[in-house]
Amino acid sequence: MKKILLLLALIASVSTTNAQEKDMNNETTFQQIFPQGEKNTAYAQYFTGQSYLAPLTQLKELNVPVSNVTFEPGCRNNWHSHTGGQLLIVTAGRGYYQEKGEPARELLPGDVVEIAPDVVHWHGAAPDSWFAHLAVACNPQTNQTTWLGPVDDREYAEVTAKPAPSVRLTDAARRNLDAWFPGYVSTARQTDPELVEVFGNFAFDEVLQYGDLDRKTRMLVTMSSCIALHAVQEYRMMLRAAFGNGITPVEIKEVLYHAVPYAGIAKVADFIGITNEFLTANGVRLPLESQSGTSPETRYGKGLALQKEIFGEQIDRMYEAAPENQKHLQCYLSANCFGDYQTRTGLDTRQRELLTFSILVSLGGCESQVKGHITGNVAVGNDKNTLLAVVTQLLPYIGYPRTLNAIACLNEMIPQNE
């Protein structure tokens, strides 16, 4: 068999170099070592779904016709047989082969299928994967194909269904996951069941046992953390959870707007687009009602007043200590960070300080600002126990180093004996 593979590879490389280079330059759909070719219109009536065909050999004198056949996910050919038999050499993706009356065989790159003459069979892609194989027509002088009926959806589903691996979640983790993500089934249960089990039990059982945060607060701070981390996929999950648990579109949008002065628009912009698409798809008309609390004329004064309300005389000291060429940054903090953003409605001051703390902790390297906003949180009524609960909630998402840095800041600013 190794000699056959080497011979086929040599034939393909010698006879189709120019065609392969041309086709691969146009290949954008499914990465594989052979060209994908054109849509398989000549045999479309014998396929369920879309397939592609790329003949690889041209010299008829060799009597070894070889073609690359590519299947889109779920695509398969009809039941059929060959009077001269056939070889299939799997090159990419995941698929299945089944002989009549026999169990289906999963196919992965490197697998070789030897099909004896007149054996009725089918082959094609898995439901969730593209698939490609070389098809070698044996005994080409006399080989004839007999096409039979299609592999219907029911029998295809039965033979390609993979039982979900066992995931041992605690009762509490299951309840919490169902509450946060009603109706959602993770695809990772199939591919990474051990990680789903470990993460699920930790993040949705152990972690949720600590502290007195309500579900809404946990979701809001986790959304803020995802923005700071630029964790797009996890944010999508949290957005779904928030909306499904009654967090309003205004509150969701305010989490995003609040993140701009702390994480920067370069990170936040992606999440605004994701959120707009999600809200629109769920029947929310945009733009939402304005939550702005200032005007160009009042933003500086109101922002400065809010700064002093939270941080007291420290704001005056910051202005006094700033070098002349840096005083503009203090003005920006007052007018832009606090005037434009912190004074907005939709979330209250306590919520906004928790979000600020969550963003800074998640960004990492912001320990000085973390300490400052620990003081701010305490001033608006978020005590150490609340902040510890927030850090604990974020632990599964930000990891231990940033969590321990945040705890160190908390212990420095609010010693344990206080």
Side-chain angles (χ1 to χ4, degrees):
M1 182 52 65
K2 289 184 178 178
K3 291 182 179 179
I4 293 175
L5 293 177
L6 289 172
L7 176 61
L8 291 174
L10 179 61
I11 292 170
S13 64
V14 170
S15 62
T16 63
T17 299
N18 292 336
Q20 183 171 338
E21 288 179 354
K22 180 179 179 181
D23 284 331
M24 287 302 285
N25 288 338
N26 295 326
E27 167 56 38
T28 59
T29 306
F30 177 51
Q31 296 302 313
Q32 52 179 309
I33 60 174
F34 292 103
Q36 180 171 300
E38 303 298 327
K39 288 185 176 180
N40 189 7
T41 55
Y43 296 91
Q45 60 183 314
Y46 304 122
F47 281 72
T48 299
Q50 183 63 60
S51 65
Y52 303 82
L53 184 64
L56 300 182
T57 55
Q58 299 175 9
L59 296 177
K60 294 182 179 179
E61 295 86 349
L62 293 174
N63 288 321
V64 187
V66 181
S67 296
N68 185 43
V69 186
T70 301
F71 302 75
E72 290 189 2
C75 177
R76 66 273 187 187
N77 49 32
N78 288 8
W79 292 102
H80 63 284
S81 63
H82 310 281
T83 58
Q86 188 180 42
L87 286 176
L88 304 180
I89 302 168
V90 181
T91 58
R94 186 168 67 89
Y96 287 88
Y97 167 80
Q98 185 181 24
E99 296 180 359
K100 201 71 172 178
E102 298 294 331
R105 171 185 168 188
E106 185 180 37
L107 299 179
L108 298 172
D111 287 342
V112 176
V113 181
E114 298 178 274
I115 306 170
D118 299 317
V119 170
V120 177
H121 64 282
W122 69 268
H123 38 100
D128 57 352
S129 175
W130 284 72
F131 177 61
H133 63 57
L134 300 185
V136 184
C138 304
N139 306 300
Q141 300 91 334
T142 60
N143 203 342
Q144 298 293 322
T145 301
T146 300
W147 289 102
L148 304 170
V151 180
D152 64 39
D153 291 342
R154 180 191 57 78
E155 58 186 335
Y156 175 75
E158 288 178 356
V159 300
T160 60
K162 298 183 70 174
S166 175
V167 176
R168 296 168 298 180
L169 294 175
T170 66
D171 290 341
R174 291 181 186 279
R175 287 195 304 272
N176 288 322
L177 282 165
D178 287 343
W180 281 54
F181 311 109
Y184 177 76
V185 179
S186 172
T187 57
R189 292 175 68 95
Q190 288 280 2
T191 58
D192 300 277
E194 292 178 344
L195 180 59
V196 169
E197 180 178 307
V198 171
F199 183 85
N201 286 331
F202 181 61
F204 290 92
D205 186 351
E206 289 181 77
V207 165
L208 297 190
Q209 291 181 38
Y210 183 85
D212 295 325
L213 298 180
D214 57 42
R215 185 182 300 161
K216 176 179 179 178
T217 300
R218 289 183 184 275
M219 289 180 176
L220 290 175
V221 299
T222 307
M223 288 176 69
S224 294
S225 177
C226 289
I227 295 169
L229 296 167
H230 204 259
V232 172
Q233 186 58 34
E234 199 63 33
Y235 177 83
R236 290 183 189 275
M237 293 294 298
M238 291 302 156
L239 176 60
R240 175 190 176 118
F243 191 78
N245 279 269
I247 295 177
T248 68
V250 166
E251 291 169 324
I252 290 171
K253 274 299 191 81
E254 287 307 307
V255 171
L256 287 163
Y257 292 3
H258 187 85
V260 172
Y262 298 103
I265 192 64
K267 281 188 175 180
V268 180
D270 289 340
F271 299 98
I272 292 175
I274 291 169
T275 303
N276 288 345
E277 290 178 5
F278 177 86
L279 292 177
T280 300
N282 282 276
V284 178
R285 187 173 181 178
L286 300 176
L288 302 176
E289 183 180 353
S290 174
Q291 303 298 315
S292 177
T294 64
S295 67
E297 295 75 26
T298 63
R299 59 197 284 265
Y300 176 80
K302 288 189 175 182
L304 181 61
L306 181 58
Q307 274 185 299
K308 291 185 176 182
E309 179 183 329
I310 298 173
F311 298 99
E313 296 178 357
Q314 180 183 350
I315 302 303
D316 289 330
R317 292 195 293 269
M318 289 171 61
Y319 268 90
E320 292 168 2
E324 191 60 35
N325 65 349
Q326 297 170 29
K327 288 187 182 298
H328 66 288
L329 293 173
Q330 298 304 319
C331 294
Y332 290 168
L333 279 168
S334 297
N336 179 242
C337 184
F338 280 82
D340 290 338
Y341 294 101
Q342 292 272 24
T343 61
R344 293 176 62 85
T345 54
L347 296 171
D348 62 33
T349 303
R350 280 187 71 176
Q351 290 173 314
R352 289 185 180 277
E353 273 303 298
L354 279 184
L355 298 186
T356 302
F357 177 73
S358 303
I359 293 167
L360 295 174
V361 164
S362 301
L363 285 171
C366 302
E367 281 69 32
S368 176
Q369 289 76 25
V370 170
K371 293 174 187 177
H373 281 278
I374 289 172
T375 301
N377 269 278
V378 171
V380 299
N382 297 320
D383 61 14
K384 185 174 184 178
N385 287 336
T386 300
L387 297 178
L388 278 171
V390 169
V391 175
T392 303
Q393 169 63 29
L394 299 183
L395 167 58
Y397 307 93
I398 67 176
Y400 281 95
R402 292 180 183 182
T403 298
L404 295 176
N405 285 346
I407 298 299
C409 292
L410 272 173
N411 288 336
E412 178 181 336
M413 300 305 294
I414 313 174
Q416 284 297 98
N417 58 356
E418 290 187 8

